[in-house]
Amino acid sequence: MQFRLEKRAEPSRFMLYATPVGAVILTMIVGAIIFSLIGYDGIGAVREVFLTPLTNAYKWQDLGIKAAPLIIIGTGLSIAYRANVWNIGAEGQFVVGALAGTWVALATYTMSGPWILPLMILAGVVGGALYAAIPALLKTRLNVNEILTSLMLTYASIQLIYYLIRTVWKDPMGIGFPQTRRFAASAQLPTVIPHTIVHLGVPIAIVVALVAWFIMSRSVFGYRMRVVGAAPHAARYGGFSENKTIWLAMLVSGGLAGLAGVLEVAGPFQRMVPGFATGYGFTAIIVAFLGRLNPLGVIFAGIVLAITFVGGEVAQTTIKLPDAATGIFQAMVLFFLLAGDILVRYRIRRVVTTPAGAA
Amino acid sequence: MPHRLELIGITKRFPGVLANDNVSFSVKPGEIHALLGENGAGKSTLVKMIYGIMQPDAGEIVWDGQRTVIANPKAARALGIGMVFQHFSLFEALTVLENIALGMDAKIPARELEARIRAVMTQYGLLLDPHRTVATLSVGERQRIEIVRALLLDPKLLIMDEPTSVLTPQEVEQLFEVLRKLAAGGCSILYISHKLHEIKALCDTATILRGGKLVDTCDPKAETSRSMAEKMIGAGLKDIVRAPGRTMGAPKLVVSRLSTKKSGHFDVPVDGVSFTVKAGEIFGIAGVAGNGQNALLDALSGEILGEDKDAITIDGYPLGLLDTTGRRKHGLCAVPEERNGHAAVGDFSLSDNSILTARNRLHMVMLGLINSGAAKTYTGKVIADFAVKALGPGSTAGSLSGGNLQKFIMGREILQRPTVLVVSQPTWGVDAGAAAAIHQALVDLAAEGSAIVVISQDLDELLALCDTLAVINAGQLSEAQKVGEVSVEEIGLLMGGVHGTSEARDAIPA
Ligand SMILES: Nc1ncnc2c1ncn2[C@@H]1O[C@H](COP(=O)(O)OP(=O)(O)OP(=O)(O)O)[C@@H](O)[C@H]1O
Ligand SMILES: [Mg+2]
């Protein structure tokens, strides 16, 4: 008796949604085993990482503010990836969006008014989109692979933070600390639930995902992204130019990463600091895939990955899990998801081989 | 003599369709056996089970007198069953030799493999240089790789699913020589094709399927193409009906000095093509494959953007600079020859495939949003009017049989009532009954005053369908001639400056 893969006539809908759940469960099981083997309390680690953030109500606000940027960036990436445009540099666009917002905040430091925050948000979106325009330009004009350029620009953006906060934007009161001054009140993102840290970015994230879902499933824009990704030749025949699609995908995903960046700097940070780039832009890649490149799925996936962030911090203090543990859990989720994806298109069949058929 | 292959009561069911219903027949050693049937009759499904790609739900396969379960293609190859698919699985960037080596079940040193490949090629007169990169090969040459790959296994049964639809007439002749040699050496051949004159020329026996059931077995040499077609559809074949006293109107589509740039290595561009099609006229473009037909279609449809706005006009309105969407809005619709991934998206539903080309002309879009209800209604109409065998507008394009997808695509464009319709290979892989229906639909569209351009390699189709005929050769178009005033020989001669099939290019360097 042996097993083999048989191509399904149509991709399995059930598996499409079951594999992300399966990937998370498998991550917990394998994670527990691995951490036990290397001498930690494996089951405790999984409990702290995946369950404590949910059972401890005090952690919910952390979940919200960590999930928000993941959902916003993940939504943008899910749109670009649908069209097979591989923007890997959301982290850089996130940073540049935040820098653009910081610039507005610092330039309006002495002013006040309700127009400042919207202007910052606008600057953030534009900044992120412009930063994503560089790989788009290189791809469409010179056919340079966008994976490389967008990724490398991430490192450039982080150097840009260091440069700006050491020189022109350095806090005059900062006793030598390389960081900007704290934003004025009009440039700070308000909280939406009193006495918590849950800021306006959280509802914005949900709205962004819902709007994106509507657009992707009902509009010509969404159709364009899907058809370019599924069959580029047919897309051209249907009147969707490849270059325009690359531009749209890059600008939308970059703009949303920039939006997440400005919300992050105006919300939790309220100033630009050297450690601003914490990897949301990379984790959002996992979020996009775990969410099945579907904005509604991205909401759930964003929450799952936020759990690992929050839980990772918990486990660091309670059972002394190393900092890298969070990354390991996140990587395992992606790994099992991609491996499980084969079940969407193939089914496992048991075959009984007879001597004549045995090869 | 025992049968080489015997099928007993083979049944295969897909959701909503019985693709094979209790099919039994047998193939003798050295026999060339045709499998005929309408689109969706279940031919491909049946051979996929023989090659181990799918498993029957019921029934038995007897191989050389022994009951056998063919678990997978590897097991099939081990038994001596080879298959050549219509769509090749080759790596473009690798050489012929590397491609064959990758497909082998057993690892053989490159030198030995090359020697064996050369031996097989000489034995069967399959000329091909093992060191050429696949990207530089014509479709016919690529198919030869697949055949060599199958022959290296010394097959006792070779299955060919619509092998000739992509070949030039010369290549078809060469293929038949190879198959006859193989059969003479005792290899059985199971041959699927919709080209009935080929079946008559090649095959010893024909098994006819209809709706998944075996309905007849006959000797193709004793039948006419028409009688076989009628057995397939189970009814009389309709002739094209033209309204009497048809007149052509004013010039509608005017193409003047249309040229494209050479893009890929082996892509033949069009060079200064000019022609005029009147309202009500069907204009045929004959020619051997690979003479610029693809570039011509893409330049007309707008997939290749032009540089001269007056190169293409409809009723005097210049379309030369518009993209496909712009041209469709002005009444020019087109169907490229490749169905999968070009004219249709296999993973999308038929309804979503309608949106691909019909969204603007049929107002399926409002304020950037898609009206999926309208798309569904239209798709249902295409399915009904063109007798497409599909469960409904929600079926994915990839689940349709080849010919049914072609019917859907043709219907999708024709029912948009375009002013000008340009089609390439409109009846590729379509059965005789459906081909007649598509031809009739084209004639009816012309009768309503549309101008139609048909690009085809099938001269019989063009002669039956067109009012005017021109020949494309090496990217250039001959003078247009009236069908009826021009002889087949003349056209053959025009096609003859045959480009790209010289023996020199095919020769194996010693
Ligand atoms: N993977 C599949 N899933 C569902 N239905 C299928 C699948 N493959 C084939 N069918 C259906 O089974 C029937 C037979 O299909 P098949 O491809 O065998 O036809 P065919 O005789 O080869 O036709 P054609 O001449 O058009 O190639 C069709 O109705 C087709 O839609
Ligand atoms: Mg078929």
Side-chain angles (χ1 to χ4, degrees):
Chain A
M1 190 181 358
Q2 75 187 57
F3 292 92
R4 70 189 179 89
L5 291 171
E6 186 179 89
K7 197 163 198 291
R8 293 175 191 272
E10 291 189 9
S12 157
R13 297 226 99 188
F14 170 75
M15 281 296 172
L16 193 63
Y17 300 112
T19 41
V21 177
V24 173
I25 293 171
L26 215 55
T27 300
M28 294 188 200
I29 296 171
V30 176
I33 295 172
I34 289 179
F35 281 96
S36 299
L37 287 179
I38 57 176
Y40 292 95
D41 171 8
I43 294 180
V46 169
R47 188 188 58 235
E48 294 292 67
V49 172
F50 287 95
L51 292 182
T52 308
L54 287 174
T55 52
N56 182 346
Y58 186 67
K59 293 287 170 199
W60 291 352
Q61 35 178 320
D62 285 332
L63 277 187
I65 64 167
K66 291 235 153 56
L70 289 175
I71 291 169
I72 296 175
I73 305 171
T75 298
L77 292 183
S78 71
I79 294 172
Y81 293 171
R82 271 258 173 244
N84 283 354
V85 176
W86 302 107
N87 179 4
I88 302 296
E91 181 80 355
Q93 295 133 26
F94 171 81
V95 165
V96 172
L99 287 174
T102 304
W103 174 63
V104 172
L106 296 178
T108 59
Y109 188 68
T110 52
M111 298 172 234
S112 66
W115 51 274
I116 291 179
L117 207 51
L119 189 66
M120 281 171 68
I121 290 177
L122 184 67
V125 172
V126 172
L130 283 180
Y131 208 55
I134 301 171
L137 187 76
L138 290 170
K139 171 83 181 182
T140 53
R141 284 291 166 84
L142 303 170
N143 200 21
V144 185
N145 189 317
E146 76 277 14
I147 297 179
L148 291 177
T149 48
S150 64
L151 178 63
M152 291 194 294
L153 282 167
T154 299
Y155 302 109
S157 73
I158 292 170
Q159 298 304 319
L160 191 61
I161 303 185
Y162 295 161
Y163 171 75
L164 290 171
I165 59 181
R166 287 207 173 102
T167 57
V168 284
W169 287 354
K170 192 164 170 182
D171 183 359
M173 309 293 176
I175 26 171
F177 270 125
Q179 58 182 28
T180 66
R181 62 195 344 164
R182 187 154 182 226
F183 296 170
S186 315
Q188 293 177 8
L189 205 59
T191 52
V192 286
I193 304 176
H195 312 300
T196 67
I197 50 174
V198 179
H199 56 71
L200 192 59
V202 177
I204 290 180
I206 304 295
V207 171
V208 163
L210 291 178
V211 170
W213 170 77
F214 182 78
I215 289 176
M216 284 307 283
S217 54
R218 299 289 306 278
S219 74
V220 178
F221 171 87
Y223 185 84
R224 160 194 284 273
M225 295 291 150
R226 288 188 287 130
V227 72
V228 168
H233 214 163
R236 203 178 68 185
Y237 167 62
F240 302 112
S241 101
E242 195 179 354
N243 282 352
K244 188 174 167 194
T245 308
I246 292 170
W247 272 105
L248 286 170
M250 275 304 204
L251 293 179
V252 167
S253 55
L256 286 177
L259 170 65
V262 69
L263 294 175
E264 191 68 8
V265 78
F269 283 89
Q270 302 184 347
R271 57 161 40 118
M272 183 51 78
V273 299
F276 177 76
T278 46
Y280 282 129
F282 292 119
T283 308
I285 297 172
I286 304 178
V287 170
F289 282 112
L290 190 65
R292 285 281 168 229
L293 304 187
N294 175 336
L296 293 186
V298 162
I299 297 179
F300 292 100
I303 295 170
V304 170
L305 271 292
I307 289 173
T308 64
F309 269 129
V310 174
E313 283 169 12
V314 173
Q316 268 181 58
T317 51
T318 55
I319 56 171
K320 305 285 177 280
L321 221 53
D323 183 27
T326 311
I328 293 176
F329 280 112
Q330 293 180 350
M332 273 198 288
V333 171
L334 184 64
F335 178 83
F336 288 127
L337 178 75
L338 297 180
D341 262 356
I342 196 150
L343 295 176
V344 176
R345 299 196 150 267
Y346 293 82
R347 80 175 96 233
I348 296 177
R349 251 203 159 173
R350 213 166 66 183
V351 284
V352 189
T353 34
T354 61
Chain B
M1 193 165 32
H3 294 302
R4 173 64 41 83
L5 172 77
E6 198 175 348
L7 303 181
I8 306 169
I10 296 287
T11 299
K12 178 78 184 177
R13 183 185 295 278
F14 290 117
V17 262
L18 195 53
N20 288 134
D21 183 2
N22 200 9
V23 176
S24 309
F25 69 92
S26 55
V27 183
K28 290 197 274 287
E31 181 186 33
I32 306 185
H33 193 116
L35 206 49
L36 302 182
E38 290 181 277
N39 298 123
K43 306 178 293 293
S44 298
T45 306
L46 189 63
V47 294
K48 279 180 190 161
M49 288 186 287
I50 300 173
Y51 195 57
I53 298 172
M54 293 177 183
Q55 299 302 318
D57 296 334
E60 285 180 6
I61 299 177
V62 178
W63 177 255
D64 279 340
Q66 293 215 317
R67 253 202 69 206
T68 311
V69 173
I70 302 173
N72 51 40
K74 197 170 164 185
R77 287 192 292 267
L79 291 173
I81 302 175
M83 180 154 171
V84 175
F85 295 88
Q86 185 175 346
H87 294 278
F88 313 139
S89 45
L90 297 170
F91 296 97
E92 301 242 329
L94 301 183
T95 65
V96 174
L97 183 64
E98 288 163 339
N99 264 291
I100 293 178
L102 279 175
M104 299 295 283
D105 293 326
K107 285 286 153 269
I108 302 171
R111 237 168 235 278
E112 196 187 320
L113 183 63
E114 183 171 346
R116 281 179 55 188
I117 291 175
R118 286 189 192 271
V120 165
M121 286 181 180
T122 341
Q123 188 184 349
Y124 293 102
L126 287 158
L127 300 175
L128 199 60
D129 173 4
H131 294 288
R132 289 251 316 260
T133 339
V134 169
T136 68
L137 300 177
S138 75
V139 187
E141 290 169 318
R142 289 175 194 216
Q143 187 184 53
R144 258 175 256 167
I145 306 180
E146 297 278 5
I147 296 174
V148 169
R149 198 184 251 178
L151 293 187
L152 280 174
L153 301 165
D154 217 355
K156 292 198 247 167
L157 170 69
L158 185 63
I159 303 170
M160 307 203 81
D161 193 350
E162 298 193 38
T164 57
S165 45
V166 291
L167 300 187
T168 66
Q170 286 85 346
E171 287 171 331
V172 170
E173 222 11 83
Q174 288 169 2
L175 172 68
F176 283 8
E177 275 316 303
V178 174
L179 295 183
R180 287 192 188 107
K181 269 190 206 164
L182 261 175
C187 177
S188 311
I189 293 167
L190 203 48
Y191 188 89
I192 300 179
S193 175
H194 289 292
K195 298 188 182 169
L196 298 171
H197 57 273
E198 290 182 355
I199 303 282
K200 279 176 65 65
L202 184 70
C203 301
D204 308 314
T205 319
T207 289
I208 299 177
L209 298 181
R210 191 192 314 142
K213 283 196 184 66
L214 194 153
V215 290
D216 205 349
T217 304
C218 63
D219 174 5
K221 301 214 162 60
E223 300 279 337
T224 63
S225 295
R226 192 178 177 109
S227 67
M228 282 192 285
E230 290 178 343
K231 283 193 162 94
M232 275 160 54
I233 57 181
L237 201 59
K238 290 198 191 74
D239 287 309
I240 297 177
V241 190
R242 291 175 201 267
R246 226 159 42 93
T247 51
M248 283 178 217
K252 218 156 191 84
L253 172 72
V254 180
V255 177
S256 43
R257 291 182 304 282
L258 179 69
S259 295
T260 61
K261 294 201 189 70
K262 198 170 165 67
S263 54
H265 273 303
F266 283 80
D267 157 82
V268 178
V270 289
D271 178 14
V273 166
S274 303
F275 61 93
T276 301
V277 190
K278 300 197 190 83
E281 181 177 1
I282 303 183
F283 187 97
I285 296 181
V288 175
N291 272 291
Q293 287 96 333
N294 290 343
L296 178 59
L297 187 110
D298 287 353
L300 289 173
S301 72
E303 276 193 63
I304 299 178
L305 284 180
E307 285 167 358
D308 172 9
K309 76 172 163 51
D310 293 316
I312 302 167
T313 62
I314 291 185
D315 292 327
Y317 186 91
L319 297 175
L321 299 179
L322 300 180
D323 66 357
T324 53
T325 308
R327 291 185 197 190
R328 281 204 190 93
K329 281 182 186 157
H330 285 94
L332 190 155
C333 292
V335 181
E337 68 175 37
E338 176 64 49
R339 308 183 270 257
N340 296 310
H342 194 181
V345 186
D347 288 341
F348 281 17
S349 66
L350 293 179
S351 210
D352 275 355
N353 272 293
S354 295
I355 295 168
L356 187 66
T357 65
R359 63 183 183 281
N360 292 317
R361 290 183 66 75
L362 299 177
H363 311 292
M364 295 177 185
V365 175
M366 268 257 290
L367 302 170
L369 295 182
I370 291 169
N371 178 348
S372 47
K376 206 172 251 169
T377 312
Y378 179 64
T379 308
K381 186 169 154 56
V382 172
I383 292 174
D385 286 14
F386 281 78
V388 178
K389 282 203 191 93
L391 290 182
S395 312
T396 59
S399 74
L400 265 60
S401 82
N404 275 301
L405 183 55
Q406 181 70 3
K407 287 197 265 181
F408 167 77
I409 292 165
M410 290 301 299
R412 176 185 73 186
E413 303 305 318
I414 290 174
L415 292 186
Q416 291 183 45
R417 301 273 161 246
T419 330
V420 174
L421 179 64
V422 185
V423 295
S424 185
Q425 309 290 0
T427 56
W428 234 31
V430 169
D431 65 56
I438 288 177
H439 287 161
Q440 186 64 50
L442 288 172
V443 166
D444 293 346
L445 183 66
E448 289 173 20
S450 297
I452 297 175
V453 180
V454 179
I455 303 173
S456 175
Q457 291 167 46
D458 185 344
L459 208 49
D460 297 332
E461 165 168 67
L462 292 175
L463 290 172
L465 191 61
C466 301
D467 304 300
T468 321
L469 203 55
V471 174
I472 189 167
N473 190 356
Q476 294 181 325
L477 197 68
S478 74
E479 277 298 311
Q481 319 225 18
K482 282 223 154 30
V483 170
E485 291 172 13
V486 55
S487 71
V488 177
E489 285 70 33
E490 260 176 277
I491 298 172
L493 224 54
L494 282 171
M495 288 165 61
V498 183
H499 154 88
T501 50
S502 76
E503 288 303 310
R505 215 185 81 184
D506 288 348
I508 308 175

